[in-house]
Amino acid sequence: MAGRIPEEFISEVRNNVNIVDVISQYVSLEKKGKDYIGLCPFHQEKTPSFTVNEEKQFFKCFGCGKGGNVFKFLMYKDNLTFPESVERVAEFAHIPMPTGYGKGSAPKLSPIMRMHQDATEFYHRVLLTTKAGERGMQYAKKRELDHDTLEHFKIGYAPKQDNVLITYLRGKGYQDDDLAKSGLFVQSKDGRLFDRFRDRLMFPLDNENGKTIGFSGRRISNDKTEAKYMNSPETEIFTKSKVLFHFAEAKRAARSEGHLILYEGYMDVIAAYKAGVKSGIASMGTSLTDDQIYMLRRVTPNIIVNYDGDDPGVHAEERAARMFNKDGNFNLGIVVLPEKLDPDEYVRKYGAEKYREEVKGALTPTDFFLKRLAQKYNLDNDREKITYLNEAIKEISQVRNPVEQDMYVEKLARSAGVSIESLKANLARERRKNNRARSHMRQYRDYSVPTDTSIPESAPITEEVPQQTEAQQHPCQTRLLYLFIHAAQAQKYLLEGHFHFPDKDFESLANLWIKYQETHDNPQIDGFLDFIPEQLQGIIVDAELAEMPKDFTIQEVDEYVQSLQKRSIYSRLNELKNQLQDAKRKQDVQEILKITQEIIGLKRILG
């Protein structure tokens, strides 16, 4: 239900946004026909099954089954209540909330979420305005972090004392049970809580909506017995493998810059930001994960990887490139900076413009792998050169596009001083070998049947069978409900004929639509969706996206009604047959006679 927010305002908000624009902030959508298609943000999938219909202003995932209007999308995606989702969409549409509604009346964040927002503000204020923060400010200046950068990234400082944050948050009314679960503190054997982060420059780690859910603290002291970076431990709101630094803002910048740039560390993202590159992100100081790759693919297929230029950084780039290539749905670029510099060092040494040129000149993964390969061999030695060429051809054979294969073969022939024909002959042989290996794997999958067919809960699902929609499960009832809602004449005919939908959910929707019509001057299907219970919304979404014609004939309606009646009769006959067997087993003569008469009556109706 609409809650306390006036329905007129809800309608105004809904009518002044395009669901495609809102969802595009979370999912990279591609127009196919009249619909927009993308990867579902609610479950992982390889083939896009998430559909947004701009005309109807509905979304639907045919993989996991979730669907609805723009409010429902935000309720699912950001775990919002209905009033909160209305407020979020109103903010997107630049429509002020009515007096008395909005932030003051919306449900508050969980204690741990609120605690992290308060901690962010506290650390930031300590850095910028207190004597205790001067040590952190000296380090920030040393790293060329100016005031605007500190403000933009909400960077703060955790003082050396072990009880500063705990005292502040207790003063704001937080309970020790919540403080202990937050990850912001460590607990001694006797149960006392102490600040986890001490004498560190603090980088807030935000979720996809820009809300702080954890921290990373950069060591300021020269004590190398302490870790350079310390991250929050995993909590109910923070999972390292599913978070990317600066992702909330970078995904918006990706729409204008055309890509996301993956960095190794937070300072690299910040250096790139200062250089005018707003689409930078970084993983949480750990190796890239499949969850993070899926987050990126949802936003854009155009990814540039720019890790540190030293040997460990280039090794990490190679691993990341293999992971992206394994997924196979990316347009990947790789930047290797000269002199083994990391992006932060490069920007400080050569400036923003030179750095942007390096990004524009990103290598393709194959170029990157071939360059790495060439560094492993002495190409002045014929034996090593032959080994290099064989390895290079193996690498090129993994490229799926034949035009790209030709391009790399030509470049390789030119640089190595050998004929294109000889390399193409080797490439053809390598491709045949790959095809045999793939064929063997297919046969293995087809003929190797495990004795234990149970699937462990942790097993990854690569492709899932799309769920049947309500329209597919109940085609007759879906069509009649659609006409009941969209065609006054059909509704009148069904009501006069005392028709009732066999399925209780369809019957409930018909009754709710009548009530909605009676209480609204201009009843619209998108408003009706907010009027009905959540468990019934999927039926409406499926009916609307099934592309049914609005024109009909009474004969068509009769055929659907008769079909449903026959189906109901057949279902009842099956029940009666089972009951008749029970009655015969018990030798209940009266019950046998009663059931037999009902069966005869139903068969007469069927003709």
Side-chain angles (χ1 to χ4, degrees):
M1 297 293 180
R4 299 193 314 163
I5 303 173
E7 282 194 40
E8 298 79 14
F9 180 78
I10 294 170
S11 296
E12 180 190 357
V13 170
R14 191 192 307 109
N15 294 333
N16 277 278
V17 296
N18 186 337
I19 191 171
V20 173
D21 295 334
V22 175
I23 292 180
S24 291
Q25 295 182 96
Y26 298 83
V27 180
S28 176
L29 296 173
E30 180 184 353
K31 187 156 193 187
K32 289 201 172 175
K34 58 180 183 45
D35 291 333
Y36 289 82
I37 308 295
L39 289 165
C40 181
F42 308 121
H43 80 292
Q44 287 199 21
E45 57 182 3
K46 286 195 170 181
T47 305
S49 62
F50 182 82
T51 302
V52 183
N53 186 296
E54 189 172 24
E55 179 190 351
K56 306 272 187 181
Q57 290 290 295
F58 287 146
F59 74 92
K60 173 76 178 181
C61 176
F62 294 96
C64 68
K66 284 186 167 63
N69 61 12
V70 65
F71 300 133
K72 196 67 191 175
F73 177 83
L74 290 174
M75 289 170 72
Y76 281 136
K77 187 69 190 75
D78 295 339
N79 196 28
L80 303 179
T81 63
F82 181 76
E84 288 173 320
S85 70
V86 172
E87 186 174 353
R88 179 78 64 81
V89 179
E91 188 179 323
F92 180 86
H94 305 293
I95 301 173
M97 293 292 289
T99 305
Y101 302 94
K103 289 187 164 72
S105 58
K108 294 180 180 178
L109 297 170
S110 71
I112 294 179
M113 284 290 289
R114 283 190 289 113
M115 199 182 298
H116 276 78
Q117 315 320 304
D118 287 339
T120 300
E121 185 183 334
F122 175 77
Y123 286 139
H124 187 57
R125 196 164 65 244
V126 167
L127 177 67
L128 295 183
T129 64
T130 70
K131 188 169 182 62
E134 288 177 1
R135 176 174 164 81
M137 186 60 79
Q138 287 173 1
Y139 179 80
K141 287 177 180 175
K142 180 181 168 186
R143 297 302 299 265
E144 298 182 11
L145 298 173
D146 57 29
H147 185 271
D148 288 345
T149 303
L150 295 174
E151 284 285 357
H152 182 83
F153 287 91
K154 302 176 290 185
I155 297 169
Y157 174 68
K160 284 186 175 183
Q161 295 91 332
D162 62 11
N163 63 351
V164 179
L165 182 65
I166 189 78
T167 303
Y168 173 74
L169 292 178
R170 278 175 176 155
K172 290 184 74 69
Y174 291 106
Q175 301 301 308
D176 275 16
D177 284 350
D178 290 325
L179 292 166
K181 290 188 292 185
S182 70
L184 295 170
F185 308 99
V186 291
Q187 196 163 22
S188 65
K189 289 181 180 178
D190 60 4
R192 288 184 297 162
L193 296 174
F194 299 94
D195 294 1
R196 178 179 297 276
F197 299 99
R198 298 193 288 274
D199 194 27
R200 288 179 180 269
L201 202 65
M202 299 298 289
F203 297 88
L205 307 176
D206 295 348
N207 64 14
E208 205 167 333
N209 302 314
K211 296 288 186 188
T212 302
I213 55 175
F215 289 93
S216 185
R218 172 54 161 98
R219 185 190 73 216
I220 286 179
S221 73
N222 294 321
D223 183 0
K224 294 189 177 177
T225 62
E226 294 185 353
K228 183 187 285 188
Y229 280 96
M230 177 191 285
N231 287 337
S232 290
E234 299 210 342
T235 64
E236 63 188 56
I237 63 172
F238 177 65
T239 304
K240 277 193 297 187
S241 64
K242 297 180 179 180
V243 177
L244 289 162
F245 178 69
H246 196 236
F247 187 58
E249 182 175 3
K251 67 180 182 179
R252 293 193 293 271
R255 290 198 287 274
S256 57
E257 294 185 15
H259 54 236
L260 287 168
I261 305 183
L262 180 63
Y263 294 102
E264 214 168 342
Y266 315 129
M267 291 304 298
D268 298 327
V269 172
I270 293 169
Y273 187 89
K274 289 166 63 182
V277 176
K278 314 293 186 188
S279 59
I281 49 175
S283 55
M284 300 292 102
T286 57
S287 297
L288 193 65
T289 68
D290 289 333
D291 285 323
Q292 289 165 339
I293 285 179
Y294 188 77
M295 287 169 67
L296 301 180
R297 190 156 68 94
R298 247 196 311 115
V299 174
T300 177
N302 303 318
I303 305 294
I304 294 173
V305 182
N306 182 193
Y307 286 172
D308 295 356
D310 59 10
D311 291 339
V314 177
H315 279 299
E317 261 183 333
E318 187 170 350
R319 179 185 177 276
R322 296 287 184 201
M323 289 182 72
F324 281 112
N325 277 355
K326 182 182 175 184
D327 185 282
N329 293 292
F330 287 96
N331 174 27
L332 192 65
I334 298 175
V335 176
V336 180
L337 296 173
E339 304 171 39
K340 298 189 175 182
L341 296 174
D342 64 35
D344 182 28
E345 293 167 335
Y346 187 94
V347 170
R348 280 192 277 165
K349 185 170 183 178
Y350 291 107
E353 189 174 342
K354 287 284 286 181
Y355 176 70
R356 289 195 294 271
E357 287 175 8
E358 292 283 355
V359 171
K360 286 178 184 174
L363 299 171
T364 66
T366 305
D367 269 330
F368 170 71
F369 289 133
L370 292 179
K371 283 194 172 190
R372 292 274 293 153
L373 199 59
Q375 292 167 3
K376 296 178 182 178
Y377 296 97
N378 175 9
L379 300 185
D380 292 325
N381 179 297
D382 286 346
R383 185 174 57 82
E384 290 199 35
K385 185 175 182 179
I386 290 168
T387 305
Y388 159 69
L389 290 172
N390 288 335
E391 291 295 315
I393 287 296
K394 284 181 184 178
E395 192 65 55
I396 293 170
S397 72
Q398 302 299 320
V399 176
R400 301 178 187 184
N401 188 325
V403 175
E404 283 187 63
Q405 283 189 344
D406 273 359
M407 183 178 73
Y408 293 123
V409 166
E410 286 183 21
K411 285 169 71 174
L412 185 62
R414 210 163 42 243
S415 64
V418 298
S419 72
I420 294 173
E421 289 72 22
S422 63
L423 290 181
K424 282 188 174 180
N426 283 0
L427 177 62
R429 186 170 63 248
E430 198 62 39
R431 283 162 65 178
R432 285 195 296 272
K433 194 187 299 182
N434 291 344
N435 288 336
R436 283 196 299 273
R438 281 192 287 267
S439 176
H440 175 74
M441 286 303 297
R442 277 196 297 270
Q443 288 175 359
Y444 179 80
R445 284 198 300 268
D446 290 343
Y447 296 115
S448 177
V449 181
T451 53
D452 179 12
T453 56
S454 63
I455 301 173
E457 285 185 20
S458 60
I461 299 174
T462 53
E463 287 293 344
E464 57 182 61
V465 178
Q467 292 188 359
Q468 272 201 320
T469 65
E470 294 289 347
Q472 291 168 329
Q473 292 180 51
H474 306 286
C476 293
Q477 292 189 82
T478 301
R479 175 60 174 158
L480 284 178
L481 181 63
Y482 183 86
L483 293 176
F484 190 90
I485 289 173
H486 290 284
Q489 186 184 357
Q491 183 187 114
K492 183 170 182 256
Y493 183 77
L494 289 168
L495 290 173
E496 287 176 349
H498 304 289
F499 171 77
H500 292 282
F501 288 89
D503 185 279
K504 62 181 178 57
D505 287 344
F506 283 81
E507 179 70 5
S508 295
L509 283 168
N511 292 328
L512 285 168
W513 177 251
I514 291 171
K515 287 181 184 176
Y516 187 71
Q517 282 180 306
E518 291 170 351
T519 55
H520 292 75
D521 294 332
N522 182 27
Q524 298 293 325
I525 196 68
D526 48 2
F528 180 58
L529 201 70
D530 299 324
F531 180 82
I532 61 178
E534 180 177 349
Q535 65 268 25
L536 301 180
Q537 292 177 4
I539 296 173
I540 295 297
V541 173
D542 288 345
E544 290 301 309
L545 296 182
E547 294 305 315
M548 297 184 185
K550 288 188 179 181
D551 56 318
F552 71 100
T553 64
I554 293 299
Q555 181 183 353
E556 178 195 359
V557 174
D558 280 336
E559 286 173 357
Y560 285 127
V561 170
Q562 288 167 18
S563 174
L564 289 171
Q565 286 175 341
K566 284 183 178 180
R567 189 174 301 169
S568 179
I569 290 171
Y570 282 125
S571 177
R572 179 60 182 159
L573 282 171
N574 284 332
E575 289 177 14
L576 290 170
K577 285 175 183 176
N578 290 332
Q579 291 174 15
L580 185 61
Q581 286 179 348
D582 286 343
K584 286 178 178 178
R585 191 173 62 252
K586 296 173 185 175
Q587 294 184 340
D588 187 338
V589 177
Q590 279 190 324
E591 187 69 12
I592 291 170
L593 183 60
K594 178 185 169 186
I595 294 170
T596 303
Q597 286 174 339
E598 187 175 350
I599 289 173
I600 292 168
L602 290 174
K603 286 186 174 179
R604 280 177 183 162
I605 294 172
L606 290 173

